[in-house]
Amino acid sequence: MIRTRVTEILGIEHPVIQGGMQWVGRAELTSAVANAGALGFITALTQPTPEDLAKEIARCRDLTDRVFGVNLTFLPAVNPPPYADYLAVVVDAGIPVVETAGRSPEPFMPELKKAGIQVIHKCTSVAHALNAERLGVDMVSVDGFECAGHPGESDVPSLVLVPAAASALTIPVIASGGFADGRGLAAALALGAEAVNMGTRFVATKEAPVHDRVKEHLVASSENDTRLIMRELRNSWRVSANSVSTEVNKRLAGGADFAGVRELVVGTRGRTVFESGDIEAGVWSAGLVQGLVKDIPSVAELIERLVREAEEALVAHASRVTV
Ligand code: NAD
């Protein structure tokens, strides 16, 4: 059993978090993570309306009586969602923990704190983590350059970002980006983090509500098979390498603006990938850790193995090293 401030504050068994993932963070996965003793997040914007989010939260509560949270990501969007309405649903539902991401949570902090919600802010630099701490968030999740989705523009990998944040902050730090197995969890703890946040690893689980071909594609892919797109737009996005990501980069290198690639990157095409299993249907987030994903276990098997391997790695390390 690995206990940290994160497990104590959140009331979970294991220092493992399933972070927000567009189109994947639904009740099936989040409840399985909760039932396995870790913390899962329903992704608010995967639900087309705030009313649908309320229904998804209710569906998750039918599947687990344990704690789970909601992810609210504030990034540029083709159709900017009514964030305040999504947040109102979260508050009304009595959700105890929210993961914010994409930009500063400042406008939403008064309402989140008034409702007594624990806030975990996910960010990609120490400066943003310090700002979030000043704003009163309860923990930060620092997302290294290895991560799937939006890694920011400063390109600092977890091996540096995690200890730099842990040294600079007082509140607990969660290591995100590059974590998929027990060795990673042990390393994150050694670097000063108090939990790991994983996305891609959870996509390749039995309960993830995505087509089997997507899971099999992650298993077959290596750490060399992701691409960074939209760097020119300062909205970098790490996605699975495919013909669409190649075309996006070609157009942007040729001087296209967002309008010139919008039809390729629009989120509804990513949703089609996850639903149909056609991995060429659009761009879809994938992290470097796909190179470490070798199987499709149940969520419970994955978390049990992760914690056991981490404990073994910590013990083996202690017995191998003389100080
Ligand atoms: P979408 O169709 O709104 O946009 C697709 C992609 O284009 C996203 O990466 C978005 O950030 C980007 N984009 C949109 N408008 C842009 C602009 N004017 N300039 C530059 N980039 C632009 O995406 P969606 O799938 O419907 O999701 C809605 C929002 O939620 C997006 O901002 C998405 O990034 C975000 N989100 C991301 C995650 C994650 O895990 N990375 C999770 C939840 C939500």
mmCIF file of all heavy atoms in Angstrom, residues 256-274:
data_model
loop_
_atom_site.group_PDB
_atom_site.id
_atom_site.type_symbol
_atom_site.label_atom_id
_atom_site.label_comp_id
_atom_site.label_asym_id
_atom_site.label_seq_id
_atom_site.Cartn_x
_atom_site.Cartn_y
_atom_site.Cartn_z
ATOM 1 N N ALA A 256 -0.566 27.585 -43.768
ATOM 2 C CA ALA A 256 -1.998 27.608 -43.450
ATOM 3 C C ALA A 256 -2.222 28.159 -42.041
ATOM 4 O O ALA A 256 -1.357 28.029 -41.171
ATOM 5 C CB ALA A 256 -2.580 26.203 -43.556
ATOM 6 N N ASP A 257 -3.383 28.771 -41.829
ATOM 7 C CA ASP A 257 -3.783 29.178 -40.483
ATOM 8 C C ASP A 257 -4.767 28.133 -39.935
ATOM 9 O O ASP A 257 -4.983 27.087 -40.576
ATOM 10 C CB ASP A 257 -4.379 30.590 -40.490
ATOM 11 C CG ASP A 257 -5.598 30.686 -41.407
ATOM 12 O OD1 ASP A 257 -6.037 29.630 -41.932
ATOM 13 O OD2 ASP A 257 -6.102 31.804 -41.604
ATOM 14 N N PHE A 258 -5.397 28.403 -38.775
ATOM 15 C CA PHE A 258 -6.282 27.389 -38.195
ATOM 16 C C PHE A 258 -7.410 27.019 -39.156
ATOM 17 O O PHE A 258 -7.765 25.837 -39.290
ATOM 18 C CB PHE A 258 -6.842 27.836 -36.837
ATOM 19 C CG PHE A 258 -7.716 26.771 -36.221
ATOM 20 C CD1 PHE A 258 -7.158 25.589 -35.746
ATOM 21 C CD2 PHE A 258 -9.096 26.924 -36.172
ATOM 22 C CE1 PHE A 258 -7.954 24.574 -35.226
ATOM 23 C CE2 PHE A 258 -9.896 25.915 -35.641
ATOM 24 C CZ PHE A 258 -9.326 24.744 -35.165
ATOM 25 N N ALA A 259 -7.941 28.033 -39.860
ATOM 26 C CA ALA A 259 -9.052 27.759 -40.791
ATOM 27 C C ALA A 259 -8.633 26.734 -41.848
ATOM 28 O O ALA A 259 -9.456 25.927 -42.298
ATOM 29 C CB ALA A 259 -9.510 29.058 -41.447
ATOM 30 N N GLY A 260 -7.343 26.747 -42.183
ATOM 31 C CA GLY A 260 -6.847 25.834 -43.216
ATOM 32 C C GLY A 260 -6.707 24.393 -42.754
ATOM 33 O O GLY A 260 -6.511 23.494 -43.592
ATOM 34 N N VAL A 261 -6.777 24.159 -41.461
ATOM 35 C CA VAL A 261 -6.664 22.770 -40.964
ATOM 36 C C VAL A 261 -7.887 22.358 -40.133
ATOM 37 O O VAL A 261 -7.983 21.201 -39.710
ATOM 38 C CB VAL A 261 -5.385 22.555 -40.109
ATOM 39 C CG1 VAL A 261 -4.133 22.737 -40.958
ATOM 40 C CG2 VAL A 261 -5.354 23.479 -38.893
ATOM 41 N N ARG A 262 -8.810 23.302 -39.927
ATOM 42 C CA ARG A 262 -9.933 23.020 -39.015
ATOM 43 C C ARG A 262 -10.680 21.738 -39.397
ATOM 44 O O ARG A 262 -10.978 20.905 -38.550
ATOM 45 C CB ARG A 262 -10.893 24.205 -38.982
ATOM 46 C CG ARG A 262 -12.031 23.992 -37.990
ATOM 47 C CD ARG A 262 -12.844 25.236 -37.767
ATOM 48 N NE ARG A 262 -13.096 25.917 -39.012
ATOM 49 C CZ ARG A 262 -13.240 27.235 -39.149
ATOM 50 N NH1 ARG A 262 -13.183 28.007 -38.096
ATOM 51 N NH2 ARG A 262 -13.456 27.781 -40.324
ATOM 52 N N GLU A 263 -10.957 21.556 -40.673
ATOM 53 C CA GLU A 263 -11.733 20.371 -41.088
ATOM 54 C C GLU A 263 -10.981 19.075 -40.790
ATOM 55 O O GLU A 263 -11.594 18.015 -40.668
ATOM 56 C CB GLU A 263 -12.085 20.459 -42.589
ATOM 57 C CG GLU A 263 -10.927 20.883 -43.496
ATOM 58 C CD GLU A 263 -10.536 19.855 -44.554
ATOM 59 O OE1 GLU A 263 -11.180 18.811 -44.626
ATOM 60 O OE2 GLU A 263 -9.554 20.109 -45.285
ATOM 61 N N LEU A 264 -9.662 19.136 -40.629
ATOM 62 C CA LEU A 264 -8.893 17.924 -40.321
ATOM 63 C C LEU A 264 -8.837 17.648 -38.820
ATOM 64 O O LEU A 264 -8.839 16.503 -38.389
ATOM 65 C CB LEU A 264 -7.450 18.066 -40.848
ATOM 66 C CG LEU A 264 -7.273 18.224 -42.355
ATOM 67 C CD1 LEU A 264 -5.803 18.487 -42.685
ATOM 68 C CD2 LEU A 264 -7.760 16.978 -43.093
ATOM 69 N N VAL A 265 -8.753 18.712 -38.002
ATOM 70 C CA VAL A 265 -8.500 18.521 -36.565
ATOM 71 C C VAL A 265 -9.760 18.549 -35.712
ATOM 72 O O VAL A 265 -9.688 18.293 -34.502
ATOM 73 C CB VAL A 265 -7.498 19.573 -36.016
ATOM 74 C CG1 VAL A 265 -6.184 19.530 -36.796
ATOM 75 C CG2 VAL A 265 -8.085 20.988 -36.028
ATOM 76 N N VAL A 266 -10.889 18.868 -36.326
ATOM 77 C CA VAL A 266 -12.105 19.063 -35.534
ATOM 78 C C VAL A 266 -12.389 17.805 -34.682
ATOM 79 O O VAL A 266 -12.189 16.670 -35.110
ATOM 80 C CB VAL A 266 -13.282 19.425 -36.476
ATOM 81 C CG1 VAL A 266 -13.651 18.263 -37.378
ATOM 82 C CG2 VAL A 266 -14.460 19.931 -35.706
ATOM 83 N N GLY A 267 -12.806 18.075 -33.437
ATOM 84 C CA GLY A 267 -12.942 17.000 -32.455
ATOM 85 C C GLY A 267 -13.921 15.912 -32.852
ATOM 86 O O GLY A 267 -13.751 14.744 -32.469
ATOM 87 N N THR A 268 -14.923 16.254 -33.657
ATOM 88 C CA THR A 268 -15.908 15.228 -34.044
ATOM 89 C C THR A 268 -15.253 14.121 -34.861
ATOM 90 O O THR A 268 -15.682 12.969 -34.803
ATOM 91 C CB THR A 268 -17.051 15.876 -34.857
ATOM 92 O OG1 THR A 268 -16.485 16.803 -35.780
ATOM 93 C CG2 THR A 268 -18.012 16.610 -33.942
ATOM 94 N N ARG A 269 -14.178 14.446 -35.595
ATOM 95 C CA ARG A 269 -13.472 13.393 -36.338
ATOM 96 C C ARG A 269 -12.718 12.480 -35.381
ATOM 97 O O ARG A 269 -12.641 11.268 -35.602
ATOM 98 C CB ARG A 269 -12.517 14.009 -37.370
ATOM 99 C CG ARG A 269 -13.269 14.612 -38.536
ATOM 100 C CD ARG A 269 -12.354 15.214 -39.578
ATOM 101 N NE ARG A 269 -11.504 14.238 -40.248
ATOM 102 C CZ ARG A 269 -10.987 14.404 -41.458
ATOM 103 N NH1 ARG A 269 -11.248 15.513 -42.136
ATOM 104 N NH2 ARG A 269 -10.205 13.500 -41.992
ATOM 105 N N GLY A 270 -12.166 13.060 -34.330
ATOM 106 C CA GLY A 270 -11.518 12.229 -33.305
ATOM 107 C C GLY A 270 -12.524 11.280 -32.659
ATOM 108 O O GLY A 270 -12.230 10.113 -32.397
ATOM 109 N N ARG A 271 -13.725 11.812 -32.416
ATOM 110 C CA ARG A 271 -14.764 10.954 -31.823
ATOM 111 C C ARG A 271 -15.065 9.767 -32.751
ATOM 112 O O ARG A 271 -15.230 8.637 -32.297
ATOM 113 C CB ARG A 271 -16.039 11.776 -31.587
ATOM 114 C CG ARG A 271 -17.064 11.016 -30.772
ATOM 115 C CD ARG A 271 -18.311 11.844 -30.555
ATOM 116 N NE ARG A 271 -19.005 12.093 -31.810
ATOM 117 C CZ ARG A 271 -19.792 13.137 -32.060
ATOM 118 N NH1 ARG A 271 -19.987 14.055 -31.138
ATOM 119 N NH2 ARG A 271 -20.378 13.274 -33.222
ATOM 120 N N THR A 272 -15.074 10.027 -34.054
ATOM 121 C CA THR A 272 -15.321 8.941 -35.020
ATOM 122 C C THR A 272 -14.244 7.860 -34.909
ATOM 123 O O THR A 272 -14.541 6.662 -34.985
ATOM 124 C CB THR A 272 -15.345 9.514 -36.468
ATOM 125 O OG1 THR A 272 -16.361 10.504 -36.521
ATOM 126 C CG2 THR A 272 -15.613 8.418 -37.481
ATOM 127 N N VAL A 273 -12.985 8.269 -34.725
ATOM 128 C CA VAL A 273 -11.907 7.282 -34.551
ATOM 129 C C VAL A 273 -12.252 6.353 -33.398
ATOM 130 O O VAL A 273 -12.221 5.122 -33.530
ATOM 131 C CB VAL A 273 -10.561 7.980 -34.270
ATOM 132 C CG1 VAL A 273 -9.486 6.958 -33.887
ATOM 133 C CG2 VAL A 273 -10.116 8.815 -35.460
ATOM 134 N N PHE A 274 -12.592 6.940 -32.253
ATOM 135 C CA PHE A 274 -12.828 6.128 -31.060
ATOM 136 C C PHE A 274 -14.076 5.252 -31.204
ATOM 137 O O PHE A 274 -14.124 4.151 -30.682
ATOM 138 C CB PHE A 274 -12.939 7.018 -29.815
ATOM 139 C CG PHE A 274 -11.628 7.648 -29.430
ATOM 140 C CD1 PHE A 274 -11.505 9.025 -29.308
ATOM 141 C CD2 PHE A 274 -10.508 6.866 -29.171
ATOM 142 C CE1 PHE A 274 -10.296 9.613 -28.951
ATOM 143 C CE2 PHE A 274 -9.289 7.442 -28.817
ATOM 144 C CZ PHE A 274 -9.185 8.817 -28.705
#
